[in-house]
Amino acid sequence: MTASSAVLAAVSGLGFGLSLIVAIGAQNAFVLRQGLRGQHVFAVVAVCAVSDIVLIAAGIGGFGAVVAAVPAVLVLVRYAGSAFLAGYGFLAARRAFANSALIADAGATMALGATVATCLALTWLNPHVYLDTVLLLGSFANGHASQDRWFIGLGAMAASVLWFAGLGYGARLLGPLFARPIAWRILDSLIALVMLTLAVGLLLSR
């Protein structure tokens, strides 16, 4: 395998990975909110990036065939994920319509353990994560020559690291805008809408 083909495979994986991950979703909304609050950003970025790396490696390693062969696993994840997203969505809606005192309190630091647990749930209880990383990206990579697939995987892994780090740490640039309570109301309203829409979508999906 030549160096140029390895680079092309990695770039292909980078582009494919970004096309899957750069979208408004539960995980991205949570990373954005933690970045804006400046709370446990490294832990959140690390959990999201490492989770994607593990799932991408599993997909390229052939775990996608196992997931496809046992669809009941995704069904269980779908219902559990829907329930969690609905609960998180209602909490976001409550923050959005709370009084000013509650809005100020909503900015209080969430414990590291609770933050990591929430991030893990938003990641691993989302069946779309398995469909995107394990099945779709795994199929894309395994459709190439064996010597190329892991470079495609490395590119996709790099895409996840770059995206989550940029989203988490870049959110601080919006800090002045979110100095006003109305901005947090709008953000939490959008997060509630995204979470509840995803929850309903998971229940209705087949």
Side-chain angles (χ1 to χ4, degrees), residues 36-69:
L36 286 169
R37 295 167 69 185
Q39 296 176 4
H40 310 303
V41 179
F42 177 79
V44 169
V45 169
V47 167
C48 292
V50 171
S51 295
D52 268 12
I53 288 172
V54 170
L55 289 166
I56 291 169
I60 296 175
F63 187 69
V66 177
V67 174

mmCIF file of all heavy atoms in Angstrom, residues 36-69:
data_model
loop_
_atom_site.group_PDB
_atom_site.id
_atom_site.type_symbol
_atom_site.label_atom_id
_atom_site.label_comp_id
_atom_site.label_asym_id
_atom_site.label_seq_id
_atom_site.Cartn_x
_atom_site.Cartn_y
_atom_site.Cartn_z
ATOM 1 N N LEU A 36 -20.809 25.774 26.311
ATOM 2 C CA LEU A 36 -21.252 27.130 26.620
ATOM 3 C C LEU A 36 -21.145 27.415 28.114
ATOM 4 O O LEU A 36 -20.809 28.529 28.527
ATOM 5 C CB LEU A 36 -22.691 27.322 26.150
ATOM 6 C CG LEU A 36 -22.901 27.459 24.636
ATOM 7 C CD1 LEU A 36 -24.387 27.367 24.296
ATOM 8 C CD2 LEU A 36 -22.331 28.785 24.147
ATOM 9 N N ARG A 37 -21.431 26.410 28.929
ATOM 10 C CA ARG A 37 -21.355 26.570 30.381
ATOM 11 C C ARG A 37 -19.920 26.429 30.891
ATOM 12 O O ARG A 37 -19.626 26.768 32.028
ATOM 13 C CB ARG A 37 -22.256 25.537 31.064
ATOM 14 C CG ARG A 37 -23.736 25.734 30.752
ATOM 15 C CD ARG A 37 -24.572 24.537 31.166
ATOM 16 N NE ARG A 37 -24.641 24.391 32.613
ATOM 17 C CZ ARG A 37 -25.224 23.374 33.226
ATOM 18 N NH1 ARG A 37 -25.757 22.398 32.510
ATOM 19 N NH2 ARG A 37 -25.261 23.313 34.525
ATOM 20 N N GLY A 38 -19.048 25.885 30.056
ATOM 21 C CA GLY A 38 -17.655 25.691 30.458
ATOM 22 C C GLY A 38 -17.498 24.664 31.560
ATOM 23 O O GLY A 38 -16.616 24.787 32.411
ATOM 24 N N GLN A 39 -18.334 23.635 31.558
ATOM 25 C CA GLN A 39 -18.342 22.652 32.638
ATOM 26 C C GLN A 39 -17.971 21.269 32.126
ATOM 27 O O GLN A 39 -18.673 20.709 31.267
ATOM 28 C CB GLN A 39 -19.721 22.618 33.303
ATOM 29 C CG GLN A 39 -20.086 23.922 33.993
ATOM 30 C CD GLN A 39 -21.487 23.923 34.565
ATOM 31 O OE1 GLN A 39 -22.188 22.915 34.521
ATOM 32 N NE2 GLN A 39 -21.915 25.054 35.110
ATOM 33 N N HIS A 40 -16.888 20.729 32.649
ATOM 34 C CA HIS A 40 -16.441 19.361 32.342
ATOM 35 C C HIS A 40 -16.320 19.127 30.829
ATOM 36 O O HIS A 40 -16.669 18.055 30.326
ATOM 37 C CB HIS A 40 -17.391 18.329 32.952
ATOM 38 C CG HIS A 40 -17.691 18.545 34.396
ATOM 39 N ND1 HIS A 40 -16.688 18.613 35.359
ATOM 40 C CD2 HIS A 40 -18.873 18.710 35.060
ATOM 41 C CE1 HIS A 40 -17.250 18.803 36.553
ATOM 42 N NE2 HIS A 40 -18.556 18.871 36.389
ATOM 43 N N VAL A 41 -15.846 20.149 30.129
ATOM 44 C CA VAL A 41 -15.791 20.067 28.664
ATOM 45 C C VAL A 41 -14.861 18.947 28.210
ATOM 46 O O VAL A 41 -15.204 18.173 27.300
ATOM 47 C CB VAL A 41 -15.344 21.414 28.059
ATOM 48 C CG1 VAL A 41 -15.263 21.313 26.531
ATOM 49 C CG2 VAL A 41 -16.316 22.516 28.455
ATOM 50 N N PHE A 42 -13.699 18.836 28.825
ATOM 51 C CA PHE A 42 -12.757 17.795 28.426
ATOM 52 C C PHE A 42 -13.363 16.407 28.599
ATOM 53 O O PHE A 42 -13.240 15.550 27.715
ATOM 54 C CB PHE A 42 -11.460 17.889 29.241
ATOM 55 C CG PHE A 42 -10.473 16.790 28.909
ATOM 56 C CD1 PHE A 42 -9.681 16.869 27.775
ATOM 57 C CD2 PHE A 42 -10.368 15.665 29.724
ATOM 58 C CE1 PHE A 42 -8.790 15.852 27.451
ATOM 59 C CE2 PHE A 42 -9.481 14.640 29.405
ATOM 60 C CZ PHE A 42 -8.688 14.749 28.264
ATOM 61 N N ALA A 43 -14.031 16.188 29.730
ATOM 62 C CA ALA A 43 -14.639 14.875 29.990
ATOM 63 C C ALA A 43 -15.713 14.564 28.957
ATOM 64 O O ALA A 43 -15.792 13.441 28.447
ATOM 65 C CB ALA A 43 -15.223 14.839 31.399
ATOM 66 N N VAL A 44 -16.540 15.542 28.626
ATOM 67 C CA VAL A 44 -17.616 15.338 27.657
ATOM 68 C C VAL A 44 -17.050 15.049 26.276
ATOM 69 O O VAL A 44 -17.485 14.109 25.586
ATOM 70 C CB VAL A 44 -18.539 16.577 27.611
ATOM 71 C CG1 VAL A 44 -19.503 16.493 26.430
ATOM 72 C CG2 VAL A 44 -19.314 16.706 28.916
ATOM 73 N N VAL A 45 -16.073 15.848 25.869
ATOM 74 C CA VAL A 45 -15.443 15.643 24.555
ATOM 75 C C VAL A 45 -14.775 14.268 24.509
ATOM 76 O O VAL A 45 -14.891 13.540 23.511
ATOM 77 C CB VAL A 45 -14.414 16.758 24.268
ATOM 78 C CG1 VAL A 45 -13.564 16.413 23.035
ATOM 79 C CG2 VAL A 45 -15.123 18.091 24.044
ATOM 80 N N ALA A 46 -14.092 13.907 25.581
ATOM 81 C CA ALA A 46 -13.387 12.622 25.625
ATOM 82 C C ALA A 46 -14.359 11.455 25.547
ATOM 83 O O ALA A 46 -14.120 10.484 24.811
ATOM 84 C CB ALA A 46 -12.550 12.528 26.900
ATOM 85 N N VAL A 47 -15.466 11.521 26.293
ATOM 86 C CA VAL A 47 -16.450 10.435 26.272
ATOM 87 C C VAL A 47 -17.017 10.262 24.866
ATOM 88 O O VAL A 47 -17.113 9.140 24.348
ATOM 89 C CB VAL A 47 -17.589 10.712 27.277
ATOM 90 C CG1 VAL A 47 -18.771 9.766 27.037
ATOM 91 C CG2 VAL A 47 -17.088 10.545 28.702
ATOM 92 N N CYS A 48 -17.393 11.357 24.227
ATOM 93 C CA CYS A 48 -17.983 11.287 22.886
ATOM 94 C C CYS A 48 -16.976 10.761 21.868
ATOM 95 O O CYS A 48 -17.298 9.886 21.053
ATOM 96 C CB CYS A 48 -18.481 12.659 22.459
ATOM 97 S SG CYS A 48 -19.891 13.266 23.404
ATOM 98 N N ALA A 49 -15.762 11.288 21.907
ATOM 99 C CA ALA A 49 -14.746 10.892 20.934
ATOM 100 C C ALA A 49 -14.329 9.435 21.120
ATOM 101 O O ALA A 49 -14.241 8.672 20.157
ATOM 102 C CB ALA A 49 -13.527 11.814 21.036
ATOM 103 N N VAL A 50 -14.068 9.038 22.369
ATOM 104 C CA VAL A 50 -13.650 7.659 22.634
ATOM 105 C C VAL A 50 -14.767 6.678 22.280
ATOM 106 O O VAL A 50 -14.516 5.601 21.732
ATOM 107 C CB VAL A 50 -13.220 7.491 24.104
ATOM 108 C CG1 VAL A 50 -13.002 6.018 24.441
ATOM 109 C CG2 VAL A 50 -11.940 8.281 24.372
ATOM 110 N N SER A 51 -16.008 7.047 22.571
ATOM 111 C CA SER A 51 -17.141 6.184 22.216
ATOM 112 C C SER A 51 -17.194 5.968 20.710
ATOM 113 O O SER A 51 -17.385 4.840 20.236
ATOM 114 C CB SER A 51 -18.455 6.805 22.707
ATOM 115 O OG SER A 51 -18.500 6.858 24.111
ATOM 116 N N ASP A 52 -17.029 7.046 19.946
ATOM 117 C CA ASP A 52 -17.037 6.920 18.490
ATOM 118 C C ASP A 52 -15.884 6.063 17.999
ATOM 119 O O ASP A 52 -16.042 5.246 17.090
ATOM 120 C CB ASP A 52 -16.957 8.309 17.841
ATOM 121 C CG ASP A 52 -18.340 8.876 17.554
ATOM 122 O OD1 ASP A 52 -19.328 8.319 18.057
ATOM 123 O OD2 ASP A 52 -18.428 9.883 16.825
ATOM 124 N N ILE A 53 -14.718 6.246 18.592
ATOM 125 C CA ILE A 53 -13.546 5.463 18.189
ATOM 126 C C ILE A 53 -13.805 3.970 18.410
ATOM 127 O O ILE A 53 -13.512 3.136 17.547
ATOM 128 C CB ILE A 53 -12.294 5.926 18.971
ATOM 129 C CG1 ILE A 53 -11.855 7.309 18.470
ATOM 130 C CG2 ILE A 53 -11.152 4.919 18.834
ATOM 131 C CD1 ILE A 53 -10.761 7.949 19.299
ATOM 132 N N VAL A 54 -14.377 3.635 19.568
ATOM 133 C CA VAL A 54 -14.679 2.230 19.878
ATOM 134 C C VAL A 54 -15.700 1.673 18.893
ATOM 135 O O VAL A 54 -15.547 0.555 18.369
ATOM 136 C CB VAL A 54 -15.198 2.099 21.326
ATOM 137 C CG1 VAL A 54 -15.743 0.697 21.581
ATOM 138 C CG2 VAL A 54 -14.082 2.421 22.317
ATOM 139 N N LEU A 55 -16.750 2.442 18.616
ATOM 140 C CA LEU A 55 -17.800 1.979 17.722
ATOM 141 C C LEU A 55 -17.308 1.851 16.279
ATOM 142 O O LEU A 55 -17.670 0.907 15.570
ATOM 143 C CB LEU A 55 -18.993 2.927 17.790
ATOM 144 C CG LEU A 55 -19.801 2.861 19.096
ATOM 145 C CD1 LEU A 55 -20.741 4.057 19.213
ATOM 146 C CD2 LEU A 55 -20.580 1.564 19.178
ATOM 147 N N ILE A 56 -16.502 2.791 15.839
ATOM 148 C CA ILE A 56 -15.943 2.725 14.484
ATOM 149 C C ILE A 56 -15.046 1.503 14.344
ATOM 150 O O ILE A 56 -15.124 0.759 13.354
ATOM 151 C CB ILE A 56 -15.164 4.017 14.155
ATOM 152 C CG1 ILE A 56 -16.134 5.197 14.015
ATOM 153 C CG2 ILE A 56 -14.359 3.850 12.860
ATOM 154 C CD1 ILE A 56 -15.458 6.547 13.961
ATOM 155 N N ALA A 57 -14.192 1.280 15.344
ATOM 156 C CA ALA A 57 -13.312 0.108 15.309
ATOM 157 C C ALA A 57 -14.127 -1.177 15.303
ATOM 158 O O ALA A 57 -13.799 -2.133 14.597
ATOM 159 C CB ALA A 57 -12.368 0.139 16.515
ATOM 160 N N ALA A 58 -15.219 -1.193 16.076
ATOM 161 C CA ALA A 58 -16.078 -2.388 16.114
ATOM 162 C C ALA A 58 -16.723 -2.628 14.756
ATOM 163 O O ALA A 58 -16.816 -3.767 14.286
ATOM 164 C CB ALA A 58 -17.150 -2.227 17.186
ATOM 165 N N GLY A 59 -17.172 -1.546 14.119
ATOM 166 C CA GLY A 59 -17.800 -1.687 12.811
ATOM 167 C C GLY A 59 -16.846 -2.218 11.767
ATOM 168 O O GLY A 59 -17.186 -3.120 10.990
ATOM 169 N N ILE A 60 -15.631 -1.689 11.741
ATOM 170 C CA ILE A 60 -14.638 -2.148 10.767
ATOM 171 C C ILE A 60 -14.168 -3.559 11.104
ATOM 172 O O ILE A 60 -13.864 -4.358 10.213
ATOM 173 C CB ILE A 60 -13.445 -1.172 10.729
ATOM 174 C CG1 ILE A 60 -13.924 0.194 10.229
ATOM 175 C CG2 ILE A 60 -12.324 -1.698 9.826
ATOM 176 C CD1 ILE A 60 -12.860 1.263 10.252
ATOM 177 N N GLY A 61 -14.167 -3.874 12.398
ATOM 178 C CA GLY A 61 -13.743 -5.207 12.821
ATOM 179 C C GLY A 61 -14.784 -6.286 12.593
ATOM 180 O O GLY A 61 -14.526 -7.457 12.863
ATOM 181 N N GLY A 62 -15.972 -5.902 12.118
ATOM 182 C CA GLY A 62 -16.988 -6.898 11.787
ATOM 183 C C GLY A 62 -18.132 -7.010 12.765
ATOM 184 O O GLY A 62 -19.012 -7.853 12.594
ATOM 185 N N PHE A 63 -18.153 -6.153 13.788
ATOM 186 C CA PHE A 63 -19.231 -6.244 14.773
ATOM 187 C C PHE A 63 -20.578 -5.875 14.168
ATOM 188 O O PHE A 63 -21.622 -6.252 14.685
ATOM 189 C CB PHE A 63 -18.933 -5.343 15.973
ATOM 190 C CG PHE A 63 -19.904 -5.503 17.110
ATOM 191 C CD1 PHE A 63 -19.924 -6.661 17.860
ATOM 192 C CD2 PHE A 63 -20.807 -4.493 17.418
ATOM 193 C CE1 PHE A 63 -20.818 -6.818 18.904
ATOM 194 C CE2 PHE A 63 -21.710 -4.640 18.456
ATOM 195 C CZ PHE A 63 -21.707 -5.806 19.204
ATOM 196 N N GLY A 64 -20.550 -5.141 13.048
ATOM 197 C CA GLY A 64 -21.792 -4.759 12.397
ATOM 198 C C GLY A 64 -22.620 -5.962 11.993
ATOM 199 O O GLY A 64 -23.856 -5.929 12.038
ATOM 200 N N ALA A 65 -21.948 -7.042 11.604
ATOM 201 C CA ALA A 65 -22.673 -8.258 11.221
ATOM 202 C C ALA A 65 -23.414 -8.846 12.417
ATOM 203 O O ALA A 65 -24.517 -9.383 12.274
ATOM 204 C CB ALA A 65 -21.693 -9.284 10.653
ATOM 205 N N VAL A 66 -22.810 -8.724 13.604
ATOM 206 C CA VAL A 66 -23.450 -9.236 14.813
ATOM 207 C C VAL A 66 -24.697 -8.419 15.135
ATOM 208 O O VAL A 66 -25.756 -8.956 15.459
ATOM 209 C CB VAL A 66 -22.468 -9.201 16.001
ATOM 210 C CG1 VAL A 66 -23.162 -9.663 17.281
ATOM 211 C CG2 VAL A 66 -21.250 -10.069 15.713
ATOM 212 N N VAL A 67 -24.567 -7.087 15.037
ATOM 213 C CA VAL A 67 -25.698 -6.205 15.314
ATOM 214 C C VAL A 67 -26.835 -6.471 14.334
ATOM 215 O O VAL A 67 -28.010 -6.529 14.709
ATOM 216 C CB VAL A 67 -25.258 -4.730 15.240
ATOM 217 C CG1 VAL A 67 -26.472 -3.796 15.370
ATOM 218 C CG2 VAL A 67 -24.241 -4.422 16.321
ATOM 219 N N ALA A 68 -26.480 -6.639 13.064
ATOM 220 C CA ALA A 68 -27.493 -6.904 12.040
ATOM 221 C C ALA A 68 -28.181 -8.246 12.270
ATOM 222 O O ALA A 68 -29.364 -8.407 11.954
ATOM 223 C CB ALA A 68 -26.851 -6.872 10.663
ATOM 224 N N ALA A 69 -27.444 -9.205 12.829
ATOM 225 C CA ALA A 69 -27.999 -10.540 13.046
ATOM 226 C C ALA A 69 -28.895 -10.609 14.278
ATOM 227 O O ALA A 69 -29.698 -11.529 14.420
ATOM 228 C CB ALA A 69 -26.866 -11.557 13.177
#
